[in-house]
Every structure is written in structure tokens, then in C-alpha cells.
Amino acid sequence: MAEQLRGASVREEFELARKCIWIFLVFNTIALASVIGVTLLGEGASTFMWVRALILVAVSPFLLWVARSAGAGSAGMVGRLRVVSTVLPVAVVVVDFIPGIAPVWYGVIQGLGALALIPVAVVSRRWARRLSAA
């Protein structure tokens, strides 16, 4: 199976996926730093904002590892990456924009980060098709 995920185009796709996951991490780090800043200024941040920001920052290294394994030809990791990169942006955007759950600025920051995972979903679907054709 791994031979189906070799070549220059796959390396380029892997680099794209890796960069997009790093963008996801940067936006979520900005969201966490903003929550810390708001709290230090005495404005307060909800438990939801703290937990969501911490979880999404913590998930990023895992996504990088899954992408690396998927790019190396692991069919199981390709499937995991495909599911996570498809579901996570939808979940983040939908939940962050429930009225009253978080300020708009917070939803925008995390929503932009989540949108960076869309190319990862596209790339992982290509990889899954290549593996299923083998």
C-alpha cells in the first residue's frame, strides 16, 4: 500500500497538509493567548473558551503525527486523518457560533484555524482513493 503514496506529488501534498496543520496550531495558539490576555485584563473568559482552546492546541501535534504516518502510507492513518480533518472544521465552526457560547472574536479566530484543515481533508481523500485503488 505504501507504494501508492510515493512520489513528488504525494510529498507536495504532504507538505501542504503539514503546513495547514501548523496554521491550525497557530490560530489555536492565538486563541489561547487571547483567552489568557482577556483573563489577565480582568474581563474573564468562560470555561468553554479555556477548554476548547487548550484541547485544540493539544490536538495539533497529534494531527501532525497522523499526517506524517498517513504520508508514509499507513492506510489506517489516512482514514483517521480524513475523518478528523473533515469533522473537526465543521464541529468547531458550528459550536463556536452557537449564540452566547463565546464572543464573536473567539469564534472567528478558531473558525479561521479550522478552515485551514479543509485542504488536509482534500489531500487525505486523495490518499484514501489511491490506497483503495491498489
Side-chain angles (χ1 to χ4, degrees):
M1 278 195 226
E3 55 273 354
Q4 293 294 325
L5 290 181
R6 298 206 195 273
S9 67
V10 171
R11 281 191 297 276
E12 289 171 8
E13 290 173 347
F14 170 73
E15 281 303 310
L16 172 65
R18 192 180 67 75
K19 287 175 185 174
C20 288
I21 294 169
W22 273 104
I23 292 168
F24 174 74
L25 172 60
V26 167
F27 272 99
N28 288 304
T29 302
I30 291 168
L32 179 58
S34 299
V35 169
I36 291 169
V38 165
T39 301
L40 291 175
L41 291 173
E43 309 247 344
S46 69
T47 302
F48 166 80
M49 292 167 65
W50 277 102
V51 171
R52 172 61 79 80
L54 288 168
I55 287 173
L56 292 180
V57 167
V59 163
S60 298
F62 171 74
L63 285 176
L64 287 167
W65 175 74
V66 170
R68 187 178 310 113
S69 298
S74 171
M77 291 301 184
V78 169
R80 286 178 185 88
L81 186 63
R82 184 177 52 82
V83 169
V84 171
S85 63
T86 302
V87 172
L88 194 59
V90 174
V92 167
V93 170
V94 167
V95 171
D96 278 344
F97 288 103
I98 294 173
I101 200 161
V104 172
W105 63 263
Y106 182 82
V108 168
I109 293 170
Q110 287 201 325
L112 289 171
L115 291 177
L117 292 179
I118 292 173
V120 179
V122 171
V123 165
S124 61
R125 287 188 185 284
R126 282 186 201 146
W127 292 346
R129 277 197 306 260
R130 287 180 188 145
L131 288 172
S132 66

